[in-house]
Amino acid sequence: MGQRIIFHIDVNSAYLSWEAVYRLQHGNPVDLREIPSVVGGDPTTRHGIVLTKSIPAKKFKIQTGETLYSALSKYPELVIAKPNYLLYRQCSQALGNILKEYSPLIQQFSIDEYFLDFTQMKNLFGDPVKTAYRIKNRIKEELGFTVNIGISTNKLLAKMASEFEKPDKVHTLFPQEIPTKMWPLPIEELFMVGRATTRKLRSRGIQTIGDLAHCDVRLLLPSLKSFGRLVWNYANGIENSPIKPGGRINIKGMGNSTTMSFDVDDRQKAHLVLLSLVETVSARLRQDHSQSCLIAISFRTNEFLSYSHQRKLSHTTDCTNEIWEIACQLFDELWQGQPLRHMGVRVSDLCQDDFVQLSLFEKDYTKLRKLDQAVDSIRSRFGSQSIIRSSYLHSGLHSMTGGVIEEEDYPMMSSIL
DNA sequence: TCTGGGGTCCTAGGACCC
DNA sequence: TCTGGGGTCCTAGGACCC
């Protein structure tokens, strides 16, 4: 097989750009991309971190993941927009629809990133770099936001290329360009090298991606194990995974978690939070026609210590009440009374629900499954708040947490999208 | 740190079996 | 048992990504 040609398409400051375009289309004259601004949560409910920053905000050293409090201390006039996940999904899909016109082989890598395999499309569209410019400009004209496109012979190099100068740029990083364009970069800019790995590499005198590429890989194995081989390969531009079209068909697990607006310190309230998480997780399971046989819960205390506990089941389930019962058992086994700030539920070991075996030894959940189906159907017609359990009425908690987004809360995008 | 929420993969150690 | 080695499964935690 000859050289592949891979594009990586990355939306510049995605959440913020999308919010900026939305506001412009709705008559707001201020372009958030041109002023110091961020998309972030609400500090009064303890969701106060920066999710995305504008390029002018970056000039004030405001960083993704830092608290809004800290960001405001760097620039008090900072404009803060609330996240709007339905909008993001629509923008992401609109982007995918344009990319599909340029290759049938596209992979959505995250809400704001796609890979596109251009190898077979050269004959149809001609020069890859010129085509990338056309794609980039089309997205800007038709959707109103800018992207970076990175071009190379594999996904890793294409992704590294799209990280070069932003915004609204096309970059190449072909293998022969690695020494000049990638090796001078600091080690933490390599994909998959995070904080912990940076620390380990630095302690061995490895400062740049080039240092890593040129070191003896055996130097890395004791502390980094097989991960050392992976990042060494990446530093040398070695990577050959295929574009996986279809995206989320092979989903391995699904979970919901939430930081509560107040510390939870009684068992009953904790169980109620678990139920609200299980409601959305199990609804997603059923919507995907999946069942799970591994249930896990997790929590974080007010001292920021994290714990998790899981159980493998002898059968599979998608039943709200059954998953909730197990989640509560797991919680009770793990919790020692600490005040909790964050809780999560996750299901994995998924399988399709078409050959489900009803266990003779477990409680009979047939009736409960019928109830789940009825509730799902009512919620899909009338919204997720149309049926809630009475236990939530005076609890100060939401009846469904995470995952499901209330479509009716948001107006549709204008005709441009 | 006044520190989100959705994922994936890897590893170490223990249980259990032959 | 003062016991060997290999394989598999399970669990908790940690690393990374966006």
Side-chain angles (χ1 to χ4, degrees):
Chain A
M1 190 179 102
Q3 290 281 38
R4 295 188 296 160
I5 297 178
I6 306 296
F7 290 1
H8 179 253
I9 299 93
D10 190 335
V11 179
N12 303 127
S13 314
Y15 290 2
L16 189 109
S17 295
W18 290 334
E19 179 66 27
V21 172
Y22 179 84
R23 291 190 181 193
L24 290 173
Q25 288 175 354
H26 287 74
N28 191 323
V30 179
D31 188 334
L32 290 178
R33 292 168 289 191
E34 292 168 1
I35 59 168
S37 67
V38 298
V39 172
D42 179 358
T44 66
T45 57
R46 310 201 295 189
H47 289 68
I49 67 159
V50 173
L51 298 168
T52 318
K53 59 197 179 292
S54 68
I55 288 171
K58 195 178 176 180
K59 300 224 165 77
F60 292 94
K61 301 237 162 34
I62 289 169
Q63 291 172 345
T64 302
E66 80 176 312
T67 59
L68 293 178
Y69 177 86
S70 158
L72 281 166
S73 75
K74 293 173 180 173
Y75 187 74
E77 313 300 310
L78 187 70
V79 172
I80 300 170
K82 284 213 160 59
N84 178 347
Y85 295 101
L86 176 68
L87 172 67
Y88 307 156
R89 266 206 322 224
Q90 292 173 334
C91 293
S92 180
Q93 205 182 341
L95 172 59
N97 288 341
I98 288 184
L99 297 179
K100 271 181 214 154
E101 295 180 30
Y102 295 89
S103 173
L105 270 182
I106 65 169
Q107 175 185 358
Q108 180 156 26
F109 189 64
S110 72
I111 192 151
D112 66 332
E113 288 178 62
Y114 285 85
F115 288 105
L116 185 153
D117 190 330
F118 196 71
T119 314
Q120 305 297 325
M121 309 310 289
K122 262 188 303 184
N123 303 326
L124 196 55
F125 293 105
D127 181 64
V129 176
K130 284 185 184 144
T131 311
Y133 273 98
R134 280 207 300 275
I135 295 174
K136 169 182 88 65
N137 292 334
R138 246 195 88 186
I139 293 165
K140 183 160 61 169
E141 283 157 26
E142 294 181 26
L143 304 180
F145 54 84
T146 63
V147 299
N148 265 34
I149 300 183
I151 305 173
S152 189
T153 54
N154 65 37
K155 286 158 78 174
L156 181 268
L157 291 173
K159 182 159 169 57
M160 292 300 294
S162 70
E163 295 293 313
F164 296 159
E165 191 191 1
K166 298 170 183 177
D168 199 20
K169 296 278 194 298
V170 173
H171 299 287
T172 62
L173 179 54
F174 291 115
Q176 63 272 21
E177 299 178 289
I178 290 174
T180 54
K181 290 190 175 180
M182 188 167 84
W183 282 349
L185 298 176
I187 192 69
E188 62 267 27
E189 294 194 22
L190 184 63
F191 180 63
M192 290 305 284
V193 174
R195 224 179 38 204
T197 309
T198 298
R199 210 177 330 109
K200 287 178 187 169
L201 294 173
R202 283 256 158 80
S203 76
R204 281 164 179 70
I206 295 169
Q207 308 287 351
T208 66
I209 299 179
D211 292 344
L212 177 58
H214 293 125
C215 84
D216 186 336
V217 67
R218 285 171 298 185
L219 181 74
L220 309 172
L221 299 180
S223 68
L224 292 172
K225 307 288 186 318
S226 66
F227 195 68
R229 168 103 35 202
L230 179 89
V231 293
W232 186 88
N233 281 339
Y234 282 5
N236 283 287
I238 301 168
E239 194 276 330
N240 62 12
S241 67
I243 302 292
K244 299 184 200 94
R248 39 173 277 106
I249 45 177
N250 275 332
I251 187 143
K252 301 286 198 315
M254 44 182 92
N256 279 143
S257 65
T258 186
T259 296
M260 288 81 74
S261 53
F262 52 90
D263 283 346
V264 167
D265 55 9
D266 78 273
R267 191 178 306 275
Q268 239 189 336
K269 272 232 164 66
H271 285 187
L272 215 46
V273 174
L274 288 175
L275 176 57
S276 85
L277 294 163
V278 169
E279 289 263 24
T280 47
V281 170
S282 58
R284 284 166 66 196
L285 263 180
R286 295 189 292 268
Q287 199 179 349
D288 273 33
H289 300 289
S290 293
Q291 298 223 359
S292 158
C293 62
L294 183 62
I295 314 293
I297 62 108
S298 61
F299 56 70
R300 182 146 65 230
T301 67
N302 62 346
E303 294 177 311
F304 266 85
L305 298 170
S306 296
Y307 300 83
S308 67
H309 195 29
Q310 66 181 51
R311 177 162 303 140
K312 181 122 180 109
L313 309 182
S314 57
H315 62 289
T316 67
T317 181
D318 62 8
C319 170
T320 302
N321 267 67
E322 186 181 12
I323 296 172
W324 182 39
E325 278 177 22
I326 296 163
C328 289
Q329 281 169 20
L330 289 165
F331 176 82
D332 292 348
E333 286 164 15
L334 186 63
W335 187 54
Q336 295 178 304
Q338 310 97 312
L340 301 179
R341 122 175 229 119
H342 178 101
M343 298 180 71
V345 171
R346 159 155 217 92
V347 298
S348 50
D349 280 22
L350 303 185
C351 62
Q352 291 301 107
D353 69 0
D354 30 15
F355 295 109
V356 169
Q357 215 178 354
L358 280 179
S359 167
L360 297 173
F361 307 105
E362 303 293 330
K363 205 160 140 183
D364 185 358
Y365 285 99
T366 313
K367 278 184 191 159
L368 287 172
R369 295 203 70 206
K370 288 205 172 119
L371 175 65
D372 284 337
Q373 283 165 11
V375 169
D376 286 347
S377 131
I378 289 168
R379 282 182 178 151
S380 77
R381 286 161 66 196
F382 303 111
S384 70
Q385 298 302 310
S386 54
I387 292 196
I388 69 167
R389 304 192 189 228
S390 59
S391 37
Y392 286 103
L393 286 177
H394 302 290
S395 67
L397 297 167
H398 292 292
S399 61
M400 295 184 78
T401 304
V404 174
I405 293 165
E406 284 300 290
E407 312 252 342
E408 58 267 44
D409 286 353
Y410 301 103
M412 293 297 286
M413 288 289 286
S414 76
S415 57
I416 298 179
L417 278 186

